[in-house]
């Protein structure tokens, strides 16, 4: 006689329970991992239900249309992790040393997309910081720029025979920190001069060249330049080399001519003063920021040996909305990689994440906010938290839901363009002022909590 088979209906439920436990355990790990040749991405099974203290940064109430007109009490909030030694702690310590005459220079590298192109936002933030902490000069500049005539912080012209190698191209030359490397025209046995001219402006802190530097790669053969007709020989042996110029005695400009019989990698110029705070603008228009992890370690670290950055700012995200993807875990993971990459080359620098701002879309004939923005900002907040970075909520600083349409592009006079994405000059100045106020507020908090 055969016994009836045992009922095994419970077994699928046991398997599901075990799988759920595994997912929950894995959700507490922030890193990706590999098994053999297979790479598994970091993920969070509980991402939508976990609650932590930094959530006050997002202020999700502002995504409710009924709260969209609030202009007081915006929670822009700059978070820094004093207990971890990361966040903005190093930057604030550097400001303190500068203020007390124990440090000569504090320097910021501000990376961003088209929101900071042509020195938007950064020119006004730089000016306010220099008014408070001292310093003059526009900082780091690429050799050429298609938007050079639109920049209001320096006058720059150049010859048309420069070759430009960009980060997203097939790399035959190491890419500079700006995402570009500039190669002057060269030819064995004859001169094919490339040139660039920088002229200062008749404005406070921009009306003189106190100090000037050229940064370039390894040089081969005969490499010479003339700066205002004064010759210099380039004999760089490192990944990044610096040539310091004397201040022009009678001219209001630098005219630099390159003469080379071999290819030469030129990364850019730097203009600053002997002491103070300096902010360098690195705009990657149209990018989401993840490609920054492809910048060569040797170039970043080599440049940092000379410039010693105290703060790295990363302002990206708005271009991620063009991907039509509502889940931003992939972006969070990619930007974690960028932060890791930067910390290799800038081990002592603080890092500040600036979130995406409001972006308008037209729906039923009305401009409203892109509905994916809160999820994007949550992803940016998450990687800032995971990597102990500072975090500043640009979306909240603008006023939250539908603020681009109502308070910026729709303002009279307008503070943003009619693409309902980019600030104009006046809007950029206002954003810079809000960011400056919040940074100084956090700096004062640091001084109160860590008295010397």
């Amino acid at each position: 006689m055969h016994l009836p088979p045992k009922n095994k209906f419970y077994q699928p439920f046991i398997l599901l329970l075990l799988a759920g436990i595994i997912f929950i355990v894995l959700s507490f790990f922030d890193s990706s991992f590999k098994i053999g040749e297979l790479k598994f991405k970091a993920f969070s099974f509980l991402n939508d239900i976990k609650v932590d203290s930094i959530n006050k940064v997002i202020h999700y109430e502002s995504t409710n249309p009924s709260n969209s007109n609030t202009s007081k009490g915006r929670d822009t909030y700059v978070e820094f992790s004093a207990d971890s030694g990361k966040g903005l702690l190093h930057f604030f310590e550097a400001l303190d040393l500068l203020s007390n005459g124990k440090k000569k220079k504090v320097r910021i590298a501000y990376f961003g997309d088209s929101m900071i192109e042509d020195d938007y936002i950064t020119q006004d933030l730089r000016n306010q910081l220099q008014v408070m902490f001292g310093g003059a000069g526009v900082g780091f500049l690429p050799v050429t720029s298609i938007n050079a005539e639109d920049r209001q912080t320096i006058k720059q012209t150049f010859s048309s025979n420069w070759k430009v190698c960009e980060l997203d191209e097939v790399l035959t030359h190491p890419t500079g920190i700006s995402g570009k490397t500039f190669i002057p025209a060269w030819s064995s046995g004859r001169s094919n001069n490339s040139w660039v001219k920088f002229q200062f402006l008749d404005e406070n802190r921009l009306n003189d060249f106190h100090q000037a530097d050229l940064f370039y790669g390894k040089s081969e053969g005969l490499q010479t330049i003339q700066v205002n007709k004064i010759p210099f020989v380039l004999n760089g042996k490192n990944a990044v080399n610096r040539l310091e110029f004397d201040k022009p005695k009678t001219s209001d400009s630098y005219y630099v001519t390159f003469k080379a019989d071999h290819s030469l990698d030129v990364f850019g110029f730097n203009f600053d003063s002997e002491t103070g705070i300096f902010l360098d603008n690195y705009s990657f228009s149209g990018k989401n920021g993840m490609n920054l992890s492809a910048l060569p370690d040797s170039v970043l670290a080599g440049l940092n040996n000379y410039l010693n950055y105290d703060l790295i700012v990363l302002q990206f995200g708005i271009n991620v909305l063009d991907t039509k993807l509502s889940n931003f875990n992939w972006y969070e993971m990619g930007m974690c990689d960028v932060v890791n990459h930067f910390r290799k080359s800038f081990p002592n620098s603080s890092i500040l994440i600036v979130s995406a701002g409001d972006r308008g879309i037209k729906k039923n004939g009305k401009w409203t906010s892109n509905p994916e923005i809160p999820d994007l900002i949550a992803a940016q907040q998450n990687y800032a938290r995971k990597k102990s970075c500072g975090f500043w909520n640009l979306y909240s600083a603008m006023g939250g839901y539908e603020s681009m349409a109502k308070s910026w592009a729709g303002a009279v006079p307008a503070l943003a363009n009619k693409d309902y994405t980019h600030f104009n000059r006046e809007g950029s100045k206002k954003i810079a002022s809000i960011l400056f106020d919040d940074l100084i507020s956090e700096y004062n908090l640091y001084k109160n909590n860590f008295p010397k």
Side-chain angles (χ1 to χ4, degrees):
M1 182 177 68
H2 296 286
L3 295 174
K6 294 182 179 179
N7 192 337
K8 299 182 180 180
F9 74 95
Y10 56 85
Q11 291 182 351
F13 294 99
I14 293 177
L15 291 174
L16 287 172
L17 179 62
L18 290 174
I21 293 173
I22 292 172
F23 278 122
I24 291 172
V25 171
L26 289 176
S27 71
F28 289 96
F29 293 88
D30 291 337
S31 305
S32 58
F33 59 93
K34 296 180 69 175
I35 300 177
E37 296 299 318
L38 297 177
K39 183 176 181 180
F40 295 83
K41 294 184 178 181
F43 65 96
S44 178
F45 181 72
L46 301 179
N47 188 60
D48 293 330
I49 60 175
K50 284 190 294 186
V51 178
D52 48 63
S53 60
I54 200 172
N55 277 341
K56 61 186 174 182
V57 183
I58 292 296
H59 221 45
Y60 277 108
E61 306 90 85
S62 64
T63 63
N64 186 322
S66 64
N67 295 330
S68 62
N69 291 324
T70 57
S71 59
K72 297 181 179 180
R74 284 192 302 253
D75 188 5
T76 53
Y77 192 75
V78 178
E79 152 103 2
F80 70 101
S81 304
D83 57 335
S84 70
K86 296 181 180 179
L88 301 187
L89 186 60
H90 169 80
F91 176 57
F92 293 150
E93 289 174 342
L95 289 180
D96 212 34
L97 291 172
L98 179 66
S99 298
N100 294 321
K102 298 179 180 179
K103 184 177 174 69
K104 294 186 69 175
K105 294 184 177 184
V106 170
R107 188 173 291 274
I108 302 169
Y110 201 120
F111 295 84
D113 49 31
S114 58
M115 303 297 286
I116 67 165
E117 196 170 27
D118 303 333
D119 219 6
Y120 276 47
I121 298 177
T122 50
Q123 71 176 49
D124 298 296
L125 181 59
R126 180 190 304 113
N127 182 64
Q128 291 186 76
L129 288 168
Q130 289 182 343
V131 168
M132 185 169 190
F133 295 100
V138 71
F140 189 95
L141 287 169
V143 178
T144 73
S145 171
I146 60 174
N147 300 314
E149 62 183 20
D150 296 324
R151 185 160 183 159
Q152 296 184 345
T153 44
I154 198 166
K155 185 177 180 181
Q156 179 180 3
T157 53
F158 42 84
S159 62
S160 61
N161 58 351
W162 286 91
K163 179 181 178 182
V164 183
C165 295
E166 301 203 31
L167 182 62
D168 295 331
E169 298 174 348
V170 176
L171 297 181
T172 56
H173 297 262
T175 311
I177 190 172
S178 68
K180 298 178 181 179
T181 295
F182 306 89
I183 301 151
W186 64 277
S187 178
S188 180
R190 62 189 179 90
S191 178
N192 254 340
N193 298 346
S194 297
W195 59 268
V196 59
K197 182 179 180 180
F198 299 99
Q199 185 172 0
F200 61 64
L201 306 178
D202 186 20
E203 295 184 19
N204 289 337
R205 289 168 290 281
L206 298 171
N207 56 3
D208 200 354
F209 289 122
H210 302 270
Q211 294 182 333
D213 309 292
L214 166 68
F215 293 102
Y216 63 99
K218 293 181 180 179
S219 56
E220 299 179 10
L222 181 62
Q223 308 280 2
T224 63
I225 66 171
Q226 288 189 351
V227 182
N228 295 345
K229 298 184 179 181
I230 300 174
F232 295 87
V233 176
L234 304 181
N235 55 0
K237 306 299 182 184
N238 302 317
V240 178
N241 306 277
R242 177 172 67 176
L243 173 66
E244 299 178 76
F245 305 147
D246 293 329
K247 178 180 176 180
K249 294 180 173 59
T250 59
S251 175
D252 63 353
S253 64
Y254 280 110
Y255 182 76
V256 186
T257 304
F258 290 76
K259 298 181 179 181
D261 63 3
H262 284 77
S263 180
L264 175 68
D265 297 330
V266 182
F267 301 129
F269 293 80
N270 176 62
F271 301 105
D272 61 18
S273 56
E274 293 183 2
T275 61
I277 188 167
F278 310 98
L279 190 155
D280 300 337
N281 173 293
Y282 298 113
S283 172
F284 291 71
S285 181
K287 306 302 181 183
N288 60 28
M290 292 194 299
N291 65 336
L292 297 184
S293 60
L295 292 171
D297 291 329
S298 59
V299 173
L300 294 180
L303 188 65
N304 194 51
N305 288 336
Y306 298 108
L307 297 182
N308 298 309
Y309 285 112
D310 296 293
L311 175 64
I312 308 294
V313 182
L314 300 175
Q315 181 180 339
F316 292 94
I318 207 71
N319 293 302
V320 179
L321 297 172
D322 293 331
T323 61
K324 310 298 183 184
L325 298 175
S326 58
N327 185 306
F328 297 104
N329 289 342
W330 59 275
Y331 184 63
E332 180 182 326
M333 178 180 171
M335 291 306 291
C336 281
D337 290 342
V338 170
V339 173
N340 291 338
H341 182 65
F342 272 37
R343 285 218 164 108
K344 290 179 185 177
S345 301
F346 309 112
N348 298 318
S349 302
S350 296
I351 298 180
L352 173 64
I353 309 303
V354 175
S355 82
D358 188 31
R359 183 177 185 179
I361 61 170
K362 204 165 189 178
K363 187 175 182 180
N364 298 325
K366 175 189 174 185
W367 284 98
T368 186
S369 292
N370 188 308
E372 298 173 353
I373 289 175
D375 290 330
L376 170 59
I377 296 175
Q380 294 179 306
Q381 177 195 26
N382 284 339
Y383 79 76
R385 173 181 55 82
K386 289 177 181 179
K387 297 303 172 182
S388 297
C389 301
F391 179 80
W392 190 67
N393 193 332
L394 175 57
Y395 176 75
S396 291
M398 293 176 63
Y401 182 81
E402 291 189 348
S403 57
M404 175 55 78
K406 295 179 178 178
S407 304
W408 297 82
V412 180
L415 297 172
N417 300 328
K418 292 305 180 182
D419 62 359
Y420 291 83
T421 300
H422 296 90
F423 304 110
N424 59 23
R425 287 285 180 191
E426 286 303 310
S428 297
K429 186 175 182 179
K430 183 175 181 179
I431 287 297
S433 182
I434 300 172
L435 176 54
F436 171 81
D437 288 344
D438 283 354
L439 280 172
I440 299 307
S441 177
E442 288 292 320
Y443 172 56
N444 290 332
L445 181 63
Y446 155 80
K447 291 194 294 183
N448 292 334
N449 289 337
F450 298 91
K452 297 297 185 288

